[in-house]
């Protein structure tokens, strides 16, 4: 009896292992994993749009630049460490390099400014060390990276060697879902308070987010009527959200996608179909 039980456990474990290996090779599994990581990063950024700093003020003196000391991508910004540096100097830090930005010597990470007559000045090395730089981008604090990865998956699917518009259409649906979640209001209990009053951090640009997500898909799928129709429907759906900023950017990208398709589609019937969809939406 014990032998049969052990044998059954071994068989069950083997079957589950084979099933997991098979799932790893499926494109849907990869898209789902990237969506999950991107959604988590977007939720974190929605709760702390300024990384628990304060919004950057426009048209202000920026102060002295602090430059990157290595080559790579900004993976994490330690706002608490920047706050400590600013408090010691009784000054202000303006963050320029958000997670995902490519850094290299000569690229400013931040600007610092201390008041006249300050006893202590900023330590450039300590400020630079607050920016974690690595060889690769990471999903955790970089919502744009997840959007780029999804767009790249769609781009590979639309390449002549693969010719899989269905995967690109799946990615478009995933992007609509992510931006719908982005548009949802943040509950008061979930919003992170801006506690680092000496560190100014810019917001993510919605235009940049849409460019990361949709521009290459619209370009690579311009010759596909299926992708073109799905893009127009996607932008129309996003335009119906209760978010004026997303609605405006969606209309802009819908026009761009239609313009690209007009240059690429050769069959007049396809072009007429796409125009009709764009007008209806």
């Amino acid at each position: 009896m014990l032998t049969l039980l052990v044998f059954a456990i071994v068989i069950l474990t083997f079957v589950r292992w084979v099933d997991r290996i098979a799932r790893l090779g499926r494109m849907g599994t990869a898209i789902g994993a990237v969506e999950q990581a991107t959604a988590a990063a977007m939720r974190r950024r929605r709760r702390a749009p300024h990384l628990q700093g304060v919004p950057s003020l426009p048209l202000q003196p920026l102060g002295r630049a602090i430059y990157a000391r290595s080559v790579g991508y900004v993976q994490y910004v330690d706002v608490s460490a920047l706050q400590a540096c600013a408090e010691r100097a009784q000054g202000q830090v303006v963050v320029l390099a958000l997670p995902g930005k490519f850094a290299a010597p000569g690229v400013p990470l931040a600007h610092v400014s201390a008041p006249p007559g300050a006893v202590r000045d900023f330590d450039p090395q300590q400020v630079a060390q607050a920016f974690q730089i690595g060889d690769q981008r990471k999903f955790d604090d970089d919502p744009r990276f997840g959007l780029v990865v999804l767009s790249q998956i769609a781009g590979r699917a639309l390449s002549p060697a693969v010719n899989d518009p269905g995967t690109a259409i799946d990615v478009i649906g995933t992007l609509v879902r992510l931006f719908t979640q982005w548009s949802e209001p943040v509950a008061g209990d979930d919003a992170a308070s801006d506690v680092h009053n000496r560190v100014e951090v810019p917001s993510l640009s919605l235009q940049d987010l849409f460019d990361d997500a949709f521009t290459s898909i619209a370009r690579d799928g311009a010759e596909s009527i299926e992708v073109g129709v799905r893009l127009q429907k996607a932008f129309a759906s996003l335009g119906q959200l209760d978010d004026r900023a997303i609605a405006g950017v969606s209309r802009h990208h819908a026009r761009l996608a239609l313009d690209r398709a007009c240059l690429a589609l050769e069959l007049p019937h396809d072009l007429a179909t796409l125009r009709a969809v764009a007008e209806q939406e």
Side-chain angles (χ1 to χ4, degrees), residues 17-103:
W17 177 77
V18 171
D19 179 68
R20 185 172 183 180
I21 294 298
R23 289 176 181 272
L24 288 176
R26 296 176 185 173
M27 186 57 68
T29 302
I31 294 174
V34 176
E35 178 184 3
Q36 185 176 4
T38 306
M42 294 178 84
R43 283 194 299 269
R44 283 192 292 272
R45 185 55 63 89
R46 286 285 289 165
R47 289 195 296 267
H50 305 287
L51 305 179
Q52 292 189 293
V54 295
S56 297
L57 300 176
L59 303 178
Q60 63 171 339
L62 293 178
R64 177 162 56 101
I66 304 297
Y67 295 97
R69 297 175 177 269
S70 58
V71 177
Y73 293 93
V74 176
Q75 298 174 337
Y76 174 71
V77 180
D78 190 343
V79 177
S80 298
L82 292 176
Q83 175 77 9
C85 292
E87 287 177 347
R88 283 193 294 270
Q90 293 297 302
Q92 204 76 10
V93 178
V94 179
V95 172
L96 302 179
L98 293 174
K101 182 178 178 62
F102 184 74

Side-chain angles (χ1 to χ4, degrees), residues 156-228:
R156 292 190 184 99
L158 291 170
S159 66
V162 179
N163 191 22
D164 178 18
T167 294
I169 290 172
D170 288 343
V171 169
I172 293 171
T174 298
L175 293 170
V176 171
R177 191 158 48 244
L178 288 170
F179 279 108
T180 300
Q181 295 170 7
W182 178 266
S183 71
E184 295 172 353
V186 180
D189 295 340
D190 294 335
S193 59
D194 294 334
V195 296
H196 302 102
N197 61 329
R198 292 184 178 274
V199 183
E200 300 180 20
V201 182
S203 303
L204 285 177
S205 165
L206 188 60
Q207 182 65 59
D208 288 342
L209 294 175
F210 266 70
D211 286 341
D212 293 334
F214 293 111
T215 296
S216 66
I217 299 177
R219 181 196 65 221
D220 298 336
E223 297 180 355
S224 170
I225 180 63
E226 299 94 336
V227 174

